[in-house]
Amino acid sequence: MSLEPPKSWKRQRTASGSPVLTSDWVSKNLHMYGETTLHCAVNITRGVRECVNDVVLFYTCALLNSGGGILHMHNLDAQRGPVVSKDLDTWWSAVECKMADMISRDDICNYFDLVGNYDDPDLYLFVKTAEHLCTLEYHSRLPTDTATHEVTYQSVLKLLTQKGEMNTLNELPQVPSVYNYGCTAEELKKETKQIQFKQLSSPKSKGSKSLPEKICFMMSKYISAFANHEGGHIYFGIDDVRAAVIGEELSEVDREKTERLAENKMRTVIWGEEEFVAERGRHWDIRFFPVLEDHNLMKQDRVVVVLSICKFPGGVFTSCPESYYVSPYKSVSSFTFTQWKMAMLSSQSDVPGLHSRFVKVPMQLPNPPLIFTLPHTVNTIKEKLLAGNLQTCNPQPRHVLEKLVPSNSKELIKETLQVCKGGKCVIFATECWGLKIPHSRPDEVLCDVLIISEDQDNHLVTFATCQKPHVLKHSQEVAVELKRKLVLQGGCSEKFGIICHVADINRLCTNPQDFSAWKNSILSSVLYPSHFRINSSKFDKILDAVVVTMASYPASDLVSDENNTMQCENFQFLLTCDQFELLWTQQFTKELWVHGPPGSGKTVAAIQLIQELRRRGCRPEEIVYLAENHRLCSLVRHHNICLVAERRKLMDESKQEEIFLSRYGQVCNVVVDEVQNFKDRDGDWYSLAGKLATQNAGSVLKTGYFWLFMDYSQKVHKFNAGLPAVIGKNNFMLSEVTRHSIEIFDFASHFMRPRRDSLHAVEESALTKVDSIPKLGHDYRSGKGVDILSCNEAEIRSTIGKILQALLQNGLHENDIAILVGKRKDLERVQSAVNEIDLSSDQEFEQFEHRSSNVSGLRPCFSMGTSNSNLSLSEKKQQETNEIRECPRGNNSVSVDTVKSFSGLDKAAIIGINPEVNEENADFNKFILSLASRARDNLVIVTTSDEVKNKIVRQATTNLTD
């Protein structure tokens, strides 16, 4: 189909010069919209809640909550007739009022564009994403002094975040026990926010509902209203005009029915959580009081019915709020209450403890992801990796066409993309790392290319060998997924669209006229309302969204146990610029050596590579992650994304051919982490790993990867690591450190640059080739210096106890602390000492006086309470004893391990015990670096040797330029 608009269409212009979009034009090109599209039928001559028209509100709500899209409405009245322009105006005005309520009365013109006339068979509503979760009906109210009103989005947020204890019914205004017909009780002279009157039965009252049913229906408006404020009573049977007692005519049977209906209704009310069930007599009650005449006789069967509701913080709803979303299968689903509540509160979610190093990516979206990044990351990635290609019209990343398409199609694709030349644009191959579009595609498809342009619309071009229906469907599905990701993950809430095209390479290659016509069609394919046009501001915001979409990863990738995973599952991080550059520019490099200082995120990058291989179609048994220590392997094994092996165990298994083949026979990718800790004592692991990476490798992008992550500055042992010379290898350097506070980074930096003459020749050549000065990615100062303590052997246990006490009092949890020793023989002794420590006891601690050197010149990280420098020695001891007694007692669940086994991991606080090495076999400075770089905020080193202490302090205070 030609994309050239008809001449009559092109001549129609608005005052601003933008083309007038028609319903017919949208219908003809509906297959080209990269939008979530929903379909329904409407009767514009009926009310908004009549016939099938309800679905318009449901579907609009779903699109608002799901990144926007197009609602295609089949106009039934256009065929039946007669219909006039006023019919559409009246009907659409009612729809707009409801939609305005959904978006909290925001400017409706910013969210909706209706295309079509009253006599068109199809109407199209272009919907932009909402800036908060939209709800059609909240089913929750708040009281006024005379009535109740529906809650708003802002008031619901306040209710959901309300804390505190629920009130009891006894705390409500007292309910009178005597009601005289025609009289007004002194306590009930007027309605308030806690007292409301209703008179339902009268000689003129008609209707199909019985009086018990009417009472139950009216209850719904007051249950949530009272519970959401201060609690209250509604009196059925008191006239709200004169506040006079009239009573409701209820027989004994009617009263029982009223009670039964009330109890049934209360079971459907949601009190803060779906699982909570309100108790009668505690949270609510219903009572019947006889109406007296002459102060002693009952007035027939008349009673005053009093419904009492207690205050209940956290939000009370008479039914589940009506809110909808579009599922991944393009069906419209309703939120459960739990889902809805989580989505509502997601806009206010945060992790304050991360703000010292990271900033929260601002997003105005329904149910936005919580993402943290270094302050400069997004702009740096754009400027360094994307902006440099704005005028080239070459697909990114580099070499992508060489890897994805046959050689005879490369030049034709490049020539085709020259249509974008002359303006700012960035072109991405969507199959690459980062955009995370599912890798499966029809055999006829060569590649999908996303064009983001400042001067034109955005386009998704599918280069293929035919234009069969399933190829057209694939192209649109990719465009739809891209749009959803850029909005819902990337945070772009602007009005923008993506137009999808299929370029038949065979046809374009053989017919120059078709080739020229196809290129021109991209320039003329105006399919969106004028408000969707791209400008400079939108262009930048879309690129921001591209970066956030590609660079984000779950925080749970950094943890290895279930409890911490649950804590991390609700937020994400962005890769650093270095990590992004590694994965973006090197994603087609099959063999790569990645170097990086401690804290630069080597393991994160390794996991992201594995995740990318999985997205490309690799099975877990086709990837092996190889490391030296058990803890690091446990972290990766926890995610169940690949095979995980420790070097020694791998070498042992390699000697048993049948077992080895059974476990590793399908491997075609190997990722090796913390390589500096490896040794060649058990055999040639490097050759074995290389063989595994290539044994089943083909030419496809998902096989043959052999990436090694290492840091020579942490190579403590002096044995051969089993690596060949670095010269001739592909090398990449990570230099941006995010793990440490400034104090710990400064301390570690003194041990990060050892004298060159102390290095092995291979290491020296590696550092010369890929050297880059480590830099800190943030400016966070913890205010906690690095402390070097010395004590005698008998004081080790009490010293550890005192430090633990202080760290806990400073707000750390025991899971945030690790105690590391240098030698495995010390491990059991220190673990035993930690297990024996009673953190609530002051014995032994009050006799201990440590000798400390604070190398950062700041206060000790384990100092407790206020300064006691003006106190006498006995007063100091007494104050410290009191502080220790007040510390929360833990379960002694701090980690205890060796420095070597803890390699690649980190904790908020690290306590190093007796950092000694055999300097014939190990480098002392590198050992201290390996120890220090495990700490994020707190580092305390305890030694029983003054010589060791002085050695550390001397190195830590030397000039880095020496």
Side-chain angles (χ1 to χ4, degrees):
M1 179 186 296
S2 172
L3 296 178
E4 185 69 26
K7 293 181 180 179
S8 60
W9 181 81
K10 290 182 70 178
R11 286 197 298 268
Q12 298 179 50
R13 301 282 172 174
T14 64
S16 63
S18 299
V20 175
L21 199 59
T22 66
S23 171
D24 179 60
W25 182 246
V26 176
S27 295
K28 289 179 179 178
N29 296 289
L30 195 58
H31 65 284
M32 296 181 61
Y33 288 93
E35 303 285 345
T36 299
T37 305
L38 302 177
H39 308 269
C40 67
V42 296
N43 292 106
I44 64 173
T45 58
R46 303 292 188 94
V48 66
R49 290 288 195 179
E50 296 181 43
C51 297
V52 295
N53 290 341
D54 259 2
V55 75
V56 172
L57 299 176
F58 302 154
Y59 282 12
T60 302
C61 180
L63 289 173
L64 285 167
N65 288 334
S66 306
I70 299 174
L71 178 58
H72 168 215
M73 298 172 284
H74 182 49
N75 184 5
L76 298 176
D77 292 316
Q79 298 173 340
R80 298 168 183 168
V83 61
V84 296
S85 178
K86 188 64 176 175
D87 292 327
L88 179 60
D89 289 345
T90 302
W91 177 72
W92 192 245
S93 176
V95 174
E96 285 184 324
C97 286
K98 288 292 184 182
M99 293 193 302
D101 288 337
M102 280 193 284
I103 59 174
S104 301
R105 313 303 299 181
D106 200 350
D107 296 328
I108 198 168
C109 60
N110 293 329
Y111 296 90
F112 307 104
D113 290 274
L114 180 64
V115 176
N117 297 315
Y118 67 94
D119 54 353
D120 285 330
D122 298 286
L123 304 172
Y124 294 94
L125 181 65
F126 287 78
V127 181
K128 185 184 84 73
T129 182
E131 295 184 359
H132 63 70
L133 189 73
C134 292
T135 303
L136 195 54
E137 295 287 349
Y138 287 107
H139 295 299
S140 187
R141 305 180 75 86
L142 285 168
T144 67
D145 284 331
T146 57
T148 67
H149 64 84
E150 280 277 359
V151 295
T152 63
Y153 172 78
Q154 292 298 334
S155 57
V156 165
L157 274 184
K158 293 178 183 177
L159 290 174
L160 292 175
T161 56
Q162 205 174 55
K163 305 294 183 183
E165 296 293 327
M166 69 186 81
N167 287 1
T168 64
L169 294 177
N170 292 334
E171 297 175 72
L172 297 177
Q174 188 172 358
V175 176
S177 57
V178 178
Y179 298 85
N180 294 298
Y181 183 79
C183 299
T184 299
E186 185 66 29
E187 312 91 304
L188 304 177
K189 284 188 174 181
K190 68 169 187 174
E191 292 182 310
T192 69
K193 295 182 182 67
Q194 287 188 293
I195 296 174
Q196 295 282 306
F197 306 143
K198 286 295 170 187
Q199 180 64 47
L200 299 180
S201 59
S202 69
K204 298 181 180 180
S205 63
K206 298 179 180 179
S208 59
K209 289 184 178 180
S210 66
L211 190 54
E213 290 172 330
K214 289 181 180 179
I215 291 174
C216 188
F217 174 78
M218 191 60 64
M219 282 170 50
S220 298
K221 291 187 175 182
Y222 290 91
I223 295 170
S224 63
F226 285 149
N228 287 332
H229 189 54
E230 294 294 333
H233 309 287
I234 178 171
Y235 293 81
F236 293 98
I238 295 183
D239 175 22
D240 60 359
V241 176
R242 296 178 294 112
V245 173
I246 304 299
E248 305 288 3
E249 296 180 4
L250 289 172
S251 65
E252 189 66 34
V253 173
D254 286 337
R255 293 177 208 171
E256 292 177 359
K257 182 178 181 181
T258 301
E259 281 189 281
R260 187 169 63 253
L261 289 174
E263 289 174 347
N264 290 340
K265 181 62 184 174
M266 284 300 179
R267 279 193 283 270
T268 67
V269 173
I270 299 172
W271 299 72
E273 304 289 345
E274 281 184 296
E275 301 80 13
F276 186 86
V277 179
E279 297 178 25
R280 183 176 178 180
R282 181 181 179 188
H283 305 112
W284 72 280
D285 205 355
I286 186 169
R287 290 172 285 176
F288 303 88
F289 295 91
V291 175
L292 303 180
E293 192 170 25
D294 297 333
H295 300 280
N296 53 13
L297 298 175
M298 281 191 64
K299 179 75 173 175
Q300 301 171 356
D301 283 332
R302 290 183 178 271
V303 292
V304 172
V305 183
V306 183
L307 176 69
S308 303
I309 305 291
C310 76
K311 174 184 177 180
F312 195 95
V316 174
F317 304 82
T318 50
S319 295
C320 180
E322 294 179 39
S323 185
Y324 302 88
Y325 65 95
V326 181
S327 74
Y329 304 102
K330 295 185 180 179
S331 62
V332 174
S333 303
S334 60
F335 285 98
T336 66
F337 180 80
T338 299
Q339 290 172 332
W340 174 83
K341 182 177 179 179
M342 289 179 62
M344 282 289 293
L345 295 177
S346 64
S347 61
Q348 298 190 338
S349 59
D350 202 355
V351 185
L354 295 176
H355 288 192
S356 57
R357 292 174 173 82
F358 304 97
V359 296
K360 180 180 174 181
V361 177
M363 291 191 184
Q364 289 187 306
L365 294 172
N367 197 15
L370 178 59
I371 304 176
F372 292 91
T373 178
L374 295 173
H376 59 273
T377 295
V378 174
N379 285 334
T380 304
I381 289 175
K382 279 201 308 181
E383 293 168 6
K384 183 176 182 180
L385 300 175
L386 304 184
N389 298 286
L390 288 178
Q391 306 293 337
T392 64
C393 295
N394 290 324
Q396 295 192 54
R398 62 179 184 172
H399 308 313
V400 62
L401 292 185
E402 287 81 353
K403 299 295 182 179
L404 290 181
V405 302
S407 58
N408 59 349
S409 302
K410 285 188 301 184
E411 293 307 317
L412 182 61
I413 292 175
K414 287 183 179 180
E415 186 178 349
T416 304
L417 294 174
Q418 293 301 308
V419 68
C420 305
K421 198 167 186 178
K424 283 186 177 181
C425 75
V426 181
I427 303 175
F428 303 95
T430 64
E431 290 88 344
C432 298
W433 168 86
L435 289 174
K436 305 178 180 71
I437 301 299
H439 189 66
S440 60
R441 61 187 185 190
D443 294 337
E444 297 88 344
V445 173
L446 301 177
C447 66
D448 298 299
V449 174
L450 174 64
I451 303 171
I452 299 175
S453 172
E454 185 180 31
D455 302 324
Q456 307 167 29
D457 289 315
N458 302 315
H459 301 272
L460 188 282
V461 182
T462 296
F463 291 97
T465 57
C466 69
Q467 286 189 324
K468 292 180 180 179
H470 68 282
V471 175
L472 297 172
K473 181 182 178 182
H474 162 83
S475 182
Q476 189 174 42
E477 287 177 346
V478 172
V480 169
E481 183 66 18
L482 279 170
K483 173 73 181 291
R484 283 174 60 92
K485 281 184 174 291
L486 293 180
V487 176
L488 299 179
Q489 177 66 24
C492 185
S493 57
E494 299 291 320
K495 278 187 175 180
F496 74 98
I498 298 178
I499 302 172
C500 52
H501 314 260
V502 173
D504 186 342
I505 287 293
N506 293 333
R507 185 176 158 195
L508 298 180
C509 185
T510 56
N511 192 333
Q513 289 183 338
D514 284 346
F515 181 65
S516 177
W518 186 88
K519 289 199 298 183
N520 291 334
S521 72
I522 291 186
L523 299 175
S524 60
S525 55
V526 180
L527 300 181
Y528 282 90
S530 58
H531 301 103
F532 283 73
R533 290 286 183 86
I534 306 300
N535 54 36
S536 178
S537 174
K538 281 188 183 180
F539 179 75
D540 284 340
K541 290 178 180 178
I542 293 172
L543 280 189
D544 285 347
V546 169
V547 172
V548 173
T549 299
M550 290 198 291
S552 58
Y553 67 94
S556 58
D557 282 357
L558 301 174
V559 298
S560 60
D561 61 88
E562 185 175 349
N563 291 333
N564 285 331
T565 301
M566 293 176 64
Q567 294 172 10
C568 295
E569 64 184 4
N570 293 325
F571 68 93
Q572 303 172 49
F573 286 113
L574 289 192
L575 298 171
T576 66
C577 185
D578 284 351
Q579 292 169 327
F580 186 96
E581 183 179 3
L582 165 67
L583 293 161
W584 182 242
T585 63
Q586 304 295 324
Q587 59 180 289
F588 303 127
T589 304
K590 293 295 184 76
E591 184 173 346
L592 184 66
W593 290 25
V594 182
H595 308 259
S600 58
K602 298 184 291 297
T603 300
V604 168
I607 292 175
Q608 293 307 302
L609 172 64
I610 295 171
Q611 297 279 23
E612 171 61 14
L613 293 175
R614 290 297 309 278
R615 188 196 64 79
R616 292 179 185 179
C618 277
R619 303 188 307 275
E621 58 268 23
E622 295 177 326
I623 311 167
V624 64
Y625 173 90
L626 183 62
E628 182 73 12
N629 69 68
H630 174 73
R631 280 182 178 265
L632 198 55
C633 287
S634 295
L635 185 150
V636 179
R637 188 178 289 113
H638 174 77
H639 299 292
N640 197 29
I641 55 176
C642 64
L643 297 176
V644 177
E646 298 171 31
R647 177 191 60 85
R648 283 187 174 180
K649 186 173 181 181
L650 180 75
M651 300 310 296
D652 289 342
E653 290 176 329
S654 68
K655 299 170 185 176
Q656 305 174 55
E657 184 175 349
E658 186 175 340
I659 295 176
F660 190 78
L661 184 62
S662 171
R663 180 168 171 78
Y664 302 104
Q666 299 182 56
V667 169
C668 52
N669 300 284
V670 178
V671 178
V672 193
D673 202 4
E674 296 291 325
V675 176
Q676 73 276 355
N677 291 331
F678 281 40
K679 300 176 183 178
D680 64 354
R681 288 178 168 180
D682 303 296
D684 186 357
W685 67 265
Y686 181 86
S687 296
L688 179 63
K691 182 179 178 181
L692 286 175
T694 57
Q695 66 180 356
N696 297 306
S699 59
V700 294
L701 290 179
K702 66 179 184 179
T703 64
Y705 280 82
F706 184 31
W707 280 29
L708 298 94
F709 293 83
M710 65 195 75
D711 177 17
Y712 279 118
S713 67
Q714 291 187 82
K715 185 178 179 296
V716 177
H717 64 79
K718 296 181 179 179
F719 304 108
N720 193 342
L723 286 168
V726 74
I727 298 174
K729 300 296 182 182
N730 294 314
N731 293 277
F732 188 94
M733 185 72 185
L734 299 171
S735 61
E736 191 170 25
V737 176
T738 61
R739 177 187 296 160
H740 317 298
S741 65
I742 288 179
E743 295 87 349
I744 291 179
F745 178 78
D746 288 344
F747 174 80
S749 296
H750 289 82
F751 300 87
M752 208 174 289
R753 317 288 275 186
R755 297 188 310 276
R756 293 299 177 95
D757 58 9
S758 68
L759 297 176
H760 188 275
V762 174
E763 300 172 22
E764 185 173 356
S765 64
L767 290 173
T768 301
K769 185 174 181 64
V770 298
D771 203 2
S772 179
I773 298 175
K775 57 183 180 294
L776 200 58
H778 55 79
D779 57 2
Y780 167 59
R781 290 184 177 275
S782 67
K784 305 176 180 71
V786 177
D787 278 270
I788 317 298
L789 311 181
S790 60
C791 63
N792 59 49
E793 190 69 35
E795 295 174 329
I796 283 287
R797 188 165 72 88
S798 61
T799 302
I800 294 174
K802 187 177 181 67
I803 297 169
L804 288 175
Q805 284 279 9
L807 291 172
L808 294 174
Q809 183 166 333
N810 282 346
L812 289 180
H813 188 272
E814 290 178 3
N815 289 334
D816 298 326
I817 306 171
I819 300 175
L820 304 182
V821 300
K823 299 177 181 179
R824 186 163 294 277
K825 67 178 184 179
D826 296 331
L827 188 61
E828 185 176 344
R829 180 170 59 89
V830 173
Q831 179 71 73
S832 176
V834 171
N835 291 340
E836 292 174 3
I837 293 174
D838 182 354
L839 297 179
S840 65
S841 173
D842 62 336
Q843 55 182 324
E844 295 185 76
F845 296 156
E846 70 175 321
Q847 300 299 323
F848 169 66
E849 291 186 50
H850 62 264
R851 302 179 297 283
S852 171
S853 293
N854 184 271
V855 298
S856 298
L858 300 172
R859 67 179 178 84
C861 67
F862 56 89
S863 61
M864 299 184 292
T866 57
S867 173
N868 59 5
S869 58
N870 295 324
L871 302 178
S872 67
L873 181 59
S874 60
E875 289 174 326
K876 288 180 182 179
K877 290 181 178 179
Q878 184 59 48
Q879 176 175 304
E880 291 179 356
T881 298
N882 292 337
E883 288 170 341
I884 289 171
R885 284 173 175 159
E886 293 169 1
C887 284
R889 181 175 181 179
N891 296 319
N892 290 354
S893 59
V894 293
S895 297
V896 181
D897 210 336
T898 64
V899 173
K900 177 184 175 182
S901 295
F902 210 74
S903 176
L905 305 174
D906 61 82
K907 290 284 186 180
I910 293 292
I911 305 171
I913 305 297
N914 275 335
E916 298 179 34
V917 296
N918 181 347
E919 298 202 35
E920 291 184 6
N921 300 321
D923 187 301
F924 180 76
N925 283 353
K926 291 181 178 182
F927 176 81
I928 296 299
L929 173 63
S930 296
L931 167 64
S933 58
R934 302 307 101 205
R936 297 197 298 268
D937 296 317
N938 301 264
L939 176 61
V940 184
I941 298 176
V942 181
T943 176
T944 56
S945 168
D946 286 336
E947 180 183 351
V948 171
K949 173 189 171 184
N950 293 335
K951 190 174 182 179
I952 296 172
V953 172
R954 187 165 55 250
Q955 179 67 25
T957 54
T958 56
N959 192 326
L960 283 175
T961 61
D962 291 344

